[in-house]
Every structure is written in C-alpha cells, then in structure tokens.
Amino acid sequence: MQLTMIGTGYVGLVSGVCFSDFGHDVICVDKLPEKIEALDRGEVPIYEPGLDAMMAKNVANGRLKFTLDLKDAVAAAEAVFIAVGTPTRRGDGHADLTYVYDAARDIARALKGYTVIVTKSTVPVGTNREVERVIRAENPDADFDVSSNPEFLREGAAIEDFMRPDRVVVGVQSERAKAVMAKIYRPLALREAPIVYTDLESAEMIKYAANAFLATKITFINEIANLCEKVGANIQSVSKGMGMDNRIGGKFLHAGPGYGGSCFPKDTKALARIGQEHASPVSIVETVIKINEERKRQMIDKIMYLCGDKVRAKKIAVLGVTFKPNTDDMRDSPSLTIIPALVGAGADVHVVDPQGRKEGEELLPSVTWVEDVYEAVAGAEAVVVLTEWNEFRALDLKRLAGLMKDAKMADLRNIYDPAEAKEAGFEYVSIGR
Ligand code: UDX
C-alpha cells in the first residue's frame, strides 16, 4: 500500500520505517528541512537500537522516502498517519494539539480520492472526531474517514514493540476504514498479533488508560518500597512475590527513582485534565503525578543523608542521566531534578552515561561529563546509580571503592546486592531494601 507519515519524530519515524519493512511504500513528511536533509543522508536523529539498519535497508529498496512536500505525499496515499508531537501545554497540563490540527488542515487541502486519516499521536479522547470536523470544514467535498491507531512503543524497544505487539488498537467508524486498516496491518495479522477494532473514543481512551495504569503500577511499588525501608522488608522480594500472581504480573513492578520519559508524565497529566474537564476526576492518577514528583525530592534527601547532609565541595559521581537505559532521551528524567539539586548544594558532579551526553550537555550545564566510570569516581565522596545501563551492572566494586575518597553508593535502581556492596567496602543505600 502507499502510506504517508506526517511527522518524523520518535513515533513517526519508527512507524514509517517499520511499515516500509512490512512491504508498504512509505513517504515520511516533515516541516523542518534540516530533519529531511539529515534523514536523506541516512542519519537517524534518535538512538533506537536497530532503527538505522532497518531505515537504510528500506531506503535502498525504494520503499521508504523522506520529503518536505506534504501535498504530493498526501495525494498519493491510501492512508495518511498523523504522528506529530502532542507536548504538555505550558501551565494547564493539557496536551497541545496545535500540530495535530495544523497537520489535519494541511492534509485536508491535499486529499485526492478516498483516504483514511489515521491519528497515531497520543491525543485526548474526542480528538479524532475533532480532526474529522477540521478536515470536513477545510475540504467539504473530501472523501475520507478518520481512524485512531495509538502506539505502544517503549523507547529502546520500539522496533520489537512494533513488530511483535501485544495488540494493535484501531478505532474506526466505518467498514471502509476498517478494511483499509486491516490491509495496513495484514503482515502483523499473519503473525497472529491481535487487532482490537473499536470506536474512536475507546481507542483514544485505551492509550491513556494503559499508560496511566503503568505509571500507577510503578508508583505503587515505589511507595511500597518506602514502607519496606521502614519495616525492614526487601522490595525486590515483595515485587517478585506479588508479580507471580498472574493478575498482577512482574513487569513494571521495579522500584526506582520515579518514572520519566516523554509519555508517562505527559499522558498522566493529560488524562487528569480530561477527568477534571468532564467533572469525573481520575483522582488516583492525580495522586500518582504528585507522588512521582515528590519522589525525586526523596531521592535527593537519600543522597544527602548518605553524604552526611553536606555535599558542598564534594565530588559526586552520577551513573546514568537518561530516563531509562537504551535511549538517549532525557525528557522528564529524574536526573533533571536530582542533579541540579546536588549542584545547587555545592557538589562537584561528574556524570557518566553511554548515550546521555548528546541531549544532557545543554540540560545539565554545570556538570563534568566523563566517559569512564572509574575516572568519574576517582576521589569522589559518593557514587549514585540513577539509570540501570548494562554498562553499570558489573563494575569491579572493590576497585571502585578503592578509587573513592569515601566509598559511599546510592544505588537508586537496585542493581547491586547490599551484602556485596558492603563487603566491597561501601556504605550503601538503595531502594526498598
Ligand atoms: C512507555 C510505555 O511503556 C509505552 O507503552 C508507551 O507507548 C510510551 O511510554 P517509555 O516511556 O518509552 O514507554 O518507557 P518505559 O519503559 O515504559 O519506562 C517509563 C518509565 O518508567 C522510565 O522512567 C522507567 O525507568 C520507569 N520504570 C519502568 C520504573 O521505574 N519501573 C519499572 O518497573 C518500569
């Protein structure tokens, strides 16, 4: 099929590349010339394992193209995907839909023949109907349907999640549109990936409710971890014991410094707003948002406590700044709260992160970036594990302790065993243990 993807950000690029790998002909459109020029040079703007190879392969076989020309790309397409950003609007926490409606108007003016306009960006419930109204107003004669097709891609595992999804969610309002969507996802259907067909509003709600539930699950185990510290329980055993109940499941039950990323913070805020707007508050999610913010302060207190409540002129090594491993994304990362607080208290912070420096450099101006962990900890009073990159999981703890001025470790991702850390000479604090 001929598909067009509007937006070459995280969702648009990954989806466009994967659709072309299905065998569809895909044109990815962006407004920014420098983005299209970089993509045409084969440069992938995000760190996503495997994406560059898959992109190069499909560009080479002519199934994947990049262009600034939305008009031609839309005219040629049987389905046009809106995959533009829907950032949290400053102030009111609403999802900013400016780019979505701008794209809808641009698409409306370029439509030729029956086309399905598919919103893949995460949008508040009711947005797809509004997209339909916007297109109808812009081009009353257009022959089209809209469809809601939210993505469930985890950064660092996006291709895996696209190619082997737990399910595909498709909101449609006509058999015609359903047939087009079924054809688009036929390669996955052949692999028995379940496709949930539903109405537009339910498809939109599934996305928000799923992300908010995952954020809630993480926040729940984070609070249980706090209590474990008080009563002397071990959160890793608690998670394991809970997770064996298949009604709960073991995933997303790992206590840490709080969730970050470009989705959970944005989607929980947007869902809370939708609840407030409709006088049906999702108060659990409102509480989750508050707890997650407060947790970052708790992590700062934990580190300060480890350092005797004084970090002025002390060197502190921080391992990991991205919001999770296998990504270069820093959006809403706990490090963006924790590190400035340490710097503000006078600490001399040295940072190691396999992928974080690219974005982190301007977000964390007053830290020293170091490639090697052992160099970063030399002479340090404390080392803080903030992101569980594999590179940090098998360090020589004895050597690490020997290099430090004070062998103190705040392991905020529980990657080490307390007994081993203590045996290596560390004064060691972690999460829920
Ligand atoms: C998430 C959803 O998983 C994905 O389905 C959706 O499409 C986009 O948002 P992502 O934000 O890329 O994906 O990362 P994810 O792996 O979900 O982690 C989100 C945050 O939760 C990270 O900060 C991570 O460190 C944290 N987390 C995750 C925990 O603290 N504990 C866990 O057990 C799992």
Side-chain angles (χ1 to χ4, degrees):
M1 293 177 80
Q2 179 61 54
L3 306 178
T4 290
M5 193 66 59
I6 310 292
T8 61
Y10 190 76
V11 174
L13 186 61
V14 171
S15 304
V17 170
C18 289
F19 277 135
S20 71
D21 211 59
F22 280 177
H24 296 310
D25 286 323
V26 178
I27 305 174
C28 291
V29 180
D30 206 292
K31 276 200 159 82
L32 301 175
E34 61 274 15
K35 269 199 163 186
I36 295 299
E37 283 152 22
L39 287 166
D40 276 337
R41 288 196 301 272
E43 290 167 26
V44 180
I46 49 172
Y47 173 79
E48 185 60 47
L51 185 62
D52 43 3
M54 189 181 272
M55 185 169 103
K57 180 184 114 187
N58 288 293
V59 166
N61 63 31
R63 281 206 290 264
L64 180 61
K65 295 182 181 66
F66 304 105
T67 180
L68 291 165
D69 181 354
L70 178 142
K71 196 165 174 299
D72 283 359
V74 168
E78 295 169 72
V80 178
F81 284 77
I82 297 177
V84 296
T86 55
T88 299
R89 202 160 59 193
R90 287 275 166 267
D92 67 6
H94 234 324
D96 183 343
L97 300 175
T98 310
Y99 307 122
V100 170
Y101 295 137
D102 286 351
R105 268 185 288 279
D106 292 346
I107 292 166
R109 288 193 291 273
L111 286 172
K112 285 241 175 336
Y114 176 67
T115 310
V116 178
I117 293 95
V118 191
T119 297
K120 187 162 268 298
S121 301
T122 303
V123 292
V125 180
T127 303
N128 273 273
R129 280 210 199 280
E130 184 56 23
V131 165
E132 183 184 26
R133 270 194 292 273
V134 163
I135 295 173
R136 185 76 63 214
E138 191 68 28
N139 182 348
D141 305 330
D143 181 17
F144 73 98
D145 274 310
V146 295
S147 170
S148 165
N149 178 218
E151 50 81 18
F152 298 93
L153 307 178
R154 285 168 301 154
E155 295 198 20
I159 291 182
E160 169 74 15
D161 288 347
F162 197 101
M163 294 303 196
R164 267 172 287 287
D166 288 343
R167 76 316 197 178
V168 175
V169 171
V170 173
V172 281
Q173 52 184 16
S174 78
E175 282 310 309
R176 226 175 151 196
K178 182 177 175 179
V180 169
M181 296 307 287
K183 214 170 136 195
I184 291 172
Y185 281 104
R186 212 168 69 82
L188 280 182
L190 295 176
R191 283 191 203 142
E192 270 101 59
I195 300 182
V196 176
Y197 290 101
T198 184
D199 59 83
L200 298 176
E201 283 71 23
S202 302
E204 291 162 335
M205 182 59 87
I206 290 169
K207 171 67 182 174
Y208 276 113
N211 266 10
F213 186 81
L214 290 169
T216 302
K217 191 175 182 186
I218 292 164
T219 306
F220 178 82
I221 206 64
N222 282 342
E223 284 218 305
I224 296 296
N226 288 349
L227 187 53
C228 283
E229 289 177 18
K230 296 280 190 278
V231 302
N234 181 315
I235 190 60
Q236 289 179 307
S237 310
V238 172
S239 296
K240 191 159 177 257
M242 285 174 67
M244 288 172 171
D245 180 329
N246 61 29
R247 293 168 302 173
I248 298 173
K251 290 185 179 168
F252 282 61
L253 217 47
H254 306 295
Y259 61 78
S262 62
C263 295
F264 285 175
K266 172 173 74 73
D267 296 353
T268 45
K269 286 189 187 92
L271 181 58
R273 287 290 305 158
I274 295 168
Q276 284 147 9
E277 295 261 300
H278 293 81
S280 177
V282 191
S283 46
I284 290 181
V285 174
E286 291 173 1
T287 307
V288 161
I289 293 165
K290 273 203 284 289
I291 295 172
N292 193 62
E293 272 317 301
E294 169 52 29
R295 183 158 192 79
K296 297 169 189 174
R297 300 236 52 85
Q298 289 172 355
M299 294 301 108
I300 294 161
D301 294 346
K302 189 183 274 279
I303 296 164
M304 294 299 285
Y305 168 77
L306 180 70
C307 297
D309 277 330
K310 193 176 154 338
V311 295
R312 184 160 300 288
K314 288 183 181 176
K315 181 180 179 183
I316 295 182
V318 175
L319 307 187
V321 290
T322 54
F323 82 95
K324 65 175 209 173
N326 302 320
T327 182
D328 56 0
D329 199 338
M330 295 280 294
R331 281 174 286 185
D332 267 314
S333 176
S335 63
L336 296 177
T337 305
I338 294 169
I339 291 177
L342 297 175
V343 170
D348 168 24
V349 178
H350 290 231
V351 169
V352 185
D353 189 297
Q355 291 290 333
R357 183 166 188 169
K358 190 172 77 168
E359 285 193 25
E361 205 128 54
E362 70 206 75
L363 295 168
L364 294 166
S366 35
V367 303
T368 306
W369 292 86
V370 182
E371 294 303 310
D372 175 72
V373 174
Y374 298 99
E375 187 190 328
V377 305
E381 305 265 333
V383 56
V384 180
V385 178
L386 213 37
T387 311
E388 67 281 23
W389 283 92
N390 286 337
E391 286 81 346
F392 306 143
R393 286 183 181 280
L395 298 169
D396 177 344
L397 293 181
K398 275 201 179 358
R399 183 177 161 213
L400 218 60
L403 285 166
M404 294 173 71
K405 188 158 175 286
D406 245 343
K408 297 176 181 218
M409 181 183 282
D411 179 359
L412 305 184
R413 294 286 186 172
N414 287 347
I415 62 175
Y416 287 106
D417 171 74
E420 272 174 37
K422 288 193 177 81
E423 201 273 326
F426 277 100
E427 189 184 341
Y428 177 84
V429 294
S430 61
I431 302 283
R433 303 184 295 179

